[in-house]
Amino acid sequence: MNTYNINDTEFTNSAVYQEFIKNNPSKGFLKIRAYAANGAVPISGLKVVVTKNINENTNVIFFEGITNSSGIIDNIALPAPTSITDNLIIPRMTTYSILATYPPDNVNQSYIVNIYDNLSVLQNVVVIPSMMVGEIYGS
């Protein structure tokens, strides 16, 4: 599988990407909130990578970033299909993959998120701290 970054102009000019944007011309938004202890402790420094498989052999990295001191990454803009105003029709969406990693606590979590036109979606990442109770020293 080929992996491309959204900032690669050669890829964004390709027919594969142009077809994807034709089908997803609008923007939806993603917010990441990382915390421990039922939200009492924000996790700063959590790495987040948001990707999308456009076809069988093309994986695109749309975002890479680190949570701030409040454990937040806000306003990640992602391509989404244009919404239909008919309330009787299920809204169209695009699915993205999120990989959240935090080496201090061996966190490596994956999520799937649906992004809709002009809506903000919140993805919580719960970090369970690794607890070192004690070490036993050999003789």
Side-chain angles (χ1 to χ4, degrees):
M1 179 177 297
N2 297 323
T3 301
Y4 299 96
N5 192 299
I6 193 63
N7 297 321
D8 180 358
T9 55
E10 186 175 320
F11 173 71
T12 56
N13 291 328
S14 71
V16 170
Y17 183 73
Q18 292 302 316
E19 181 67 23
F20 173 74
I21 286 300
K22 179 181 169 188
N23 295 326
N24 296 279
S26 298
K27 292 285 183 198
F29 301 93
L30 175 63
K31 178 178 183 176
I32 304 292
R33 180 175 171 248
Y35 59 86
N38 290 330
V41 179
I43 302 297
S44 64
L46 179 107
K47 182 179 180 184
V48 173
V49 179
V50 179
T51 61
K52 168 84 176 149
N53 285 334
I54 291 182
N55 60 25
E56 294 88 37
N57 63 354
T58 305
N59 190 39
V60 182
I61 299 171
F62 280 91
F63 177 83
E64 288 184 86
I66 305 284
T67 56
N68 63 17
S69 61
S70 297
I72 304 248
I73 302 174
D74 205 1
N75 291 323
I76 302 169
L78 298 168
T82 304
S83 62
I84 298 171
T85 57
D86 186 347
N87 289 337
L88 299 176
I89 297 175
I90 297 171
R92 297 183 347 197
M93 48 102 182
T94 299
T95 303
Y96 290 87
S97 298
I98 301 170
L99 177 61
T101 55
Y102 188 66
D105 288 317
N106 296 321
V107 171
N108 191 12
Q109 299 176 8
S110 297
Y111 302 92
I112 302 294
V113 65
N114 297 327
I115 299 295
Y116 299 88
D117 177 26
N118 207 27
L119 290 177
S120 185
V121 175
L122 172 65
Q123 177 62 58
N124 289 315
V125 178
V126 179
V127 174
I128 300 172
S130 59
M131 307 285 279
M132 296 296 289
V133 176
E135 293 182 18
I136 300 173
Y137 296 103
S139 49

